[in-house]
Structure formats: structure tokens, C-alpha cells
Amino acid sequence: MSTDRGSCEMVNVLFSAKPASWDEYEAPLHAAFEKACIDAQLGTDLPPEDVDYIVYAPSGPVSDFTPFTKLKAVLSLWAGVETMVDNPTLHVPLCRMVDHGLTESMVEWVTGHVLRYHLGMDRFITAQDGVWRAGSAAPLARDRKVCVLGLGALGSACAQSLVHLKFDVHGWSRSPKAVEGVTCHHGDAGLRDALADADMVALLLPDTPATESVLNAESISFMRRGGFVVNPGRGPLIDDDALLAALDSGQLAHATLDVFRVEPLPKDHPFWAHPKVTVTPHIAAETKAGTASEVIAENIRRGEAGKPFLHLVDRQAGY
């Protein structure tokens, strides 16, 4: 974040999220504003006509932005903005949250589960029954192909973490990207090459009409038989029925899923009872109040200085 304090600016900042989030964010936001020399009136119940910025989550009370006639930008607390981009009352810049604390958490979660599969940890952890099971050690990471679908901030960070461990990392995105150490593919034509003979796939794409069910019966078939899937991205990225069929046929050996089309995952969903599925309750990564508050303060500082916002959403692309 910038350390150029300059002269303090007075702004009115509305916090619109669930009450528990206010308890979490109030002190970190005040601290971040002070550090950035932003003189802010921050609250959860400011007159709409006075509000300059909204710190926003879809779980909060604001859904109609029409009364906010002075509004300069909406600063999301969430990395995903698919529930916001189509709001017809929102006519100011929308910034998604790219929080380095969240990024670090996601890198740790993805790397941990890739290593879990690479080393075959489940084979031993779940079978402590006194039987000595002789077997071979895992191959070197360089002999495993890992495909990361999505090369935004989170996907690129996860891909580079796996590169450092010497995995053969391929990445795919809708448009061309360049990530150091990663073999990058893009567009419909590049998806097959990205997935071809992949031992593991991690999904970190945004949820848009163009990415829905990107992992389906056809794309799963491109992977190496007996492969693994890790999804901390968005539930709709996977065709659930195709995934279950691939697990049942042996095309896939296991899947770890942190996100789902319906959350909480219904008790009667087949993922819960499937022996080849690990369900985690949307815990792969979450925004950290301290670091996220610094991102919000920096964007307000930029807005007041007439500079471009960080992490501005392309409303047409959906992210």
C-alpha cells in the first residue's frame, strides 16, 4: 500500500454486510483509514445521499443503489462478484476483493490437497489398522502434470506455488495469460491441451455463463485415467452428474470439493456419501479483515486522488 499520506480527505463510507462482518471489520477499517490518512465517517446507517463509497457484501442490506446519488464506487468484500455484476441499479465502478491474506490461504489449501494426492496420503492416514502395506513411493513432482483452470490472481498464485515444487504445471484461461513457469493455454481450443493427460486439476475460475460446467464428461475424458480434481473455485464450474459418473467409472480416482451449486450442501446430496469425494464446507480461503481493509483503504485513497481503482470489475466479462 502507498505510504504517501498527503492531506487527509473526508469521505463517507457505508459498510453494507451482515452484522457479524461489521464486528469483524470496524476496527481494522478504522486502522487502515488512519494509516492511509483518510478522514472517514464509517458506519452501517449513513444517509444514502451522503455516501461516497460502499464497502459491500451481497449478504448485507443494500441491493438498490439508486438512492446513493454521490456514490463513487462499490468496494466488494468478496472475490466473486457474479451476484453483483448484473444489478441494474449499479452504475459506478465495482471493485472485487483481491486480498493477499485470502490468496495465501488459497495457495496453502490448493497446494496441500495437490500434495495429498501426489503423495497418496489417504492410503495410510485412513488405514491405521496394523497391516504393513508395502508399496512404492510417489514419483517426483516433475513427473506429475497439474492443470490449473483459471489464471487470475488466485489461480496464478496457486500455479506458481506448484511450479516451485517442480510439478509440470499447465494453466488455462478464457483469454491469453502469461505466468512464469506455467505452460499457459487459452480459449476453447486450448482447453483440451491444458487438460490432456493431467494427473490433477484445480479449478479457480470465476462463475460466469462461459465457465459453467467447464469440467464436464468431455473435458474430464481428456485427463489421465485415475486423476484427481480439486475445486475451491465455484460450484457451477463442475457438472455434478458427470463428476460422479467419472468417479464411478474410475476415470477419476477422487475429488475434493469446497464449493457447490447449493450451499450448504444438502444432506441428501450424493457427494456426502460417495467414498471418492471429500467435502469441505467452503473453507479453502476467506477474506482476512486486516489485509482486506488495507485494500479498501487504498482504493478509497485512489478514488479521492483521481487514480485508477485496483481490481476493477469488467461488468461485461463478469469478473
Side-chain angles (χ1 to χ4, degrees):
M1 299 301 163
S2 171
T3 57
D4 180 13
R5 297 177 64 87
S7 58
C8 292
E9 302 286 348
M10 167 60 88
V11 292
N12 295 306
V13 181
L14 177 69
F15 187 91
S16 177
K18 57 187 179 182
S21 295
W22 173 244
D23 294 339
E24 181 183 5
Y25 275 91
E26 182 182 10
L29 280 170
H30 278 299
F33 291 162
E34 182 178 0
K35 182 179 177 181
C37 200
I38 296 170
D39 187 5
Q41 180 176 348
L42 172 67
T44 60
D45 190 24
L46 302 180
E49 64 274 13
D50 293 340
V51 171
D52 297 296
Y53 298 91
I54 299 179
V55 178
Y56 182 80
S59 55
V62 173
S63 59
D64 181 3
F65 295 94
T66 305
F68 298 92
T69 53
K70 283 181 54 184
L71 190 62
K72 300 174 183 177
V74 172
L75 309 175
S76 175
L77 290 172
W78 292 10
V81 292
E82 60 272 6
T83 61
M84 310 174 207
V85 291
D86 293 330
N87 188 317
T89 69
L90 182 57
H91 300 294
V92 299
L94 170 64
C95 300
R96 60 192 176 88
M97 176 53 66
V98 177
D99 165 32
H100 61 81
L102 180 149
T103 300
E104 290 172 22
S105 295
M106 185 64 80
V107 167
E108 292 168 7
W109 193 92
V110 170
T111 303
H113 282 284
V114 168
L115 285 172
R116 167 195 170 197
Y117 288 141
H118 169 58
L119 297 174
M121 291 180 177
D122 290 9
R123 181 173 40 148
F124 305 108
I125 292 172
T126 62
Q128 297 291 300
D129 54 6
V131 177
W132 186 273
R133 291 176 174 83
S136 58
L140 293 172
R142 71 184 65 179
D143 296 323
R144 298 270 203 200
K145 178 178 176 179
V146 182
C147 176
V148 177
L149 297 182
L151 292 175
L154 293 177
S156 295
C158 291
Q160 289 191 303
S161 174
L162 297 170
V163 167
H164 293 322
L165 292 170
K166 301 189 185 306
F167 284 101
D168 175 18
V169 183
H170 289 241
W172 179 82
S173 53
R174 296 292 303 171
S175 57
K177 297 285 179 68
V179 181
E180 186 176 357
V182 178
T183 302
C184 296
H185 310 265
H186 70 275
D188 294 339
L191 182 60
R192 185 180 193 120
D193 290 338
L195 289 169
D197 294 326
D199 296 288
M200 287 169 268
V201 172
L203 292 103
L204 287 154
L205 288 158
D207 177 13
T208 70
T211 61
E212 183 172 2
S213 295
V214 66
L215 203 66
N216 52 43
E218 181 182 32
S219 55
I220 290 171
S221 73
F222 302 153
M223 296 175 59
R224 189 184 304 279
R225 183 171 178 80
F228 301 89
V229 169
V230 174
N231 186 19
R234 293 287 181 264
L237 300 177
I238 294 179
D239 179 330
D240 291 356
D241 291 337
L243 179 68
L244 289 165
L247 291 165
D248 290 338
S249 72
Q251 172 61 19
L252 292 176
H254 204 100
T256 295
L257 309 175
D258 188 60
V259 288
F260 307 92
R261 290 175 180 266
V262 176
E263 294 186 8
L265 186 66
K267 290 184 177 180
D268 60 351
H269 196 286
F271 284 157
W272 283 115
H274 202 288
K276 296 182 178 180
V277 175
T278 298
V279 170
T280 61
H282 206 142
I283 57 166
E286 61 180 11
T287 302
K288 310 298 183 185
T291 49
S293 294
E294 293 175 359
V295 175
I296 290 165
E298 174 64 6
N299 256 340
I300 291 175
R301 188 192 70 78
R302 284 170 169 262
E304 293 304 291
K307 295 181 179 180
F309 290 110
L310 298 173
H311 321 307
L312 188 64
V313 172
D314 182 334
R315 302 286 289 278
Q316 290 187 330
Y319 55 90

